Amino acid sequence: MARGGRSHPLVIYREVLNRWWPEILALGILLAALAYPVHNDPLGQAQPWRWKGLLAVGIGTIAFSLILLLMRRLAYVRVYPKYLKLVTPFLRVNISHKRLVRTSTSEMRVLFPPGEFRGWKRDLIAPLGGRTAVVLEMNGWPASPTMLRFFLSRFFFKDRTPHFVILVDEWMQFSTELESLRRGDGDTSPRKPRTYDPSMLSRLPNKKP
C-alpha cells in the first residue's frame, strides 16, 4: 500500500489563531501585572484573595494564549491512499476518495470577495485574496454539515453544496499528492513537464523513399 502524503497546515485556521493569541497573551500579562499594585494596597493586604485571584486569572489567560499558539500546528490536511484526513484540535474527519467528485483550484478573492464581508472577517480574508485554494467537491458530506460549519471557519465553505475549500501553503504539492494517491500509483512527487530535445530527431531511423 502506498504511504500517505505530508501534513499540510491549514492556513485559515493558522491565521485565525494568529489574530487571537497575541491579544490574549497581552491581556494575561496585563492582568498579572495589575495583581502587584493590588497586593500592595491596604485593601489587598486585608483581603489577599483579591490580588491572588487577579494573578491566577492572569496566569490562566497567559497559559490559554500559549495553548492557542501550539494549536496552530494541530490543524492540517493529509492525503492517504483511501481517504483524505482533515484535522483540527476539535474535529477529525476522513473523506473517502470515492466521495470526491471533482477537484478544482481558484483564488480566494474569487471564492470569497472581501467586499462581501465586514469587520474581522474582511481583515482576515483580504490579505489572502491572491492565494490559490483547492476546492474539493463531493457527492455528500462526510459528517453532519451543521457540525462541520460549527467547528470549521466560514472560509472552508463557498456555498451550501457538499465541498471543502482547502487553503494550504503548498497547494500544488497537495494537489499532486491527492491526484496521485487517488489513482493509486503512490508517486507524490511533482511532475516535471516534458521538454523538447533536438537530439531526438537524430536518433530517428532515416527512411529513404
Side-chain angles (χ1 to χ4, degrees):
M1 178 182 294
R3 61 187 178 86
R6 56 166 294 189
S7 296
H8 296 269
L10 297 169
V11 173
I12 289 294
Y13 205 95
R14 183 183 66 201
E15 292 301 315
V16 169
L17 292 182
N18 279 344
R19 291 180 60 86
W20 286 105
W21 80 263
E23 297 180 6
I24 295 176
L25 175 62
L27 176 61
I29 294 175
L30 177 62
L31 292 174
L34 289 175
Y36 180 74
V38 174
H39 171 266
N40 293 333
D41 186 85
L43 184 60
Q45 293 289 338
Q47 299 177 338
W49 62 267
R50 292 179 178 273
W51 69 267
K52 289 182 178 180
L54 194 59
L55 180 62
V57 172
I59 293 175
T61 304
I62 293 173
F64 180 64
S65 71
L66 297 179
I67 291 174
L68 292 181
L69 176 61
L70 296 176
M71 283 171 58
R72 298 179 308 165
R73 298 180 177 272
L74 302 180
Y76 63 89
V77 61
R78 186 174 182 181
V79 185
Y80 289 90
K82 295 185 180 298
Y83 60 90
L84 174 74
K85 177 177 287 187
L86 180 66
V87 177
T88 73
F90 305 107
L91 181 70
R92 187 179 296 261
V93 178
N94 291 339
I95 307 167
S96 171
H97 293 322
K98 296 180 180 180
R99 191 180 294 275
L100 295 179
V101 176
R102 188 171 72 95
T103 63
S104 61
T105 59
S106 178
E107 289 189 346
M108 289 293 286
R109 61 170 156 248
V110 175
L111 299 171
F112 308 102
E116 296 183 359
F117 299 92
R118 296 290 183 272
W120 70 268
K121 289 184 179 180
R122 182 172 183 174
D123 294 339
L124 173 66
I125 199 61
L128 303 176
R131 302 283 293 272
T132 299
V134 179
V135 182
L136 309 177
E137 298 182 16
M138 304 174 291
N139 56 20
W141 294 105
S144 166
T146 302
M147 181 188 71
L148 293 173
R149 292 180 182 276
F150 179 80
F151 284 105
L152 295 176
S153 167
R154 160 72 176 83
F155 300 112
F156 280 86
F157 312 99
K158 61 184 178 66
D159 52 39
R160 306 295 295 185
T161 60
H163 73 280
F164 288 112
V165 175
I166 304 296
L167 181 62
V168 294
D169 289 321
E170 300 179 5
W171 68 268
M172 292 186 67
Q173 178 69 29
F174 171 67
S175 296
T176 300
E177 292 173 356
L178 179 58
E179 294 305 316
S180 177
L181 291 174
R182 286 182 68 191
R183 290 194 307 265
D185 59 22
D187 181 12
T188 59
S189 60
R191 299 182 180 274
K192 296 182 179 180
R194 298 182 64 180
T195 58
Y196 170 68
D197 183 2
S199 65
M200 292 176 63
L201 294 178
S202 63
R203 294 195 295 268
L204 293 175
N206 186 15
K207 293 184 179 180
K208 295 182 180 181

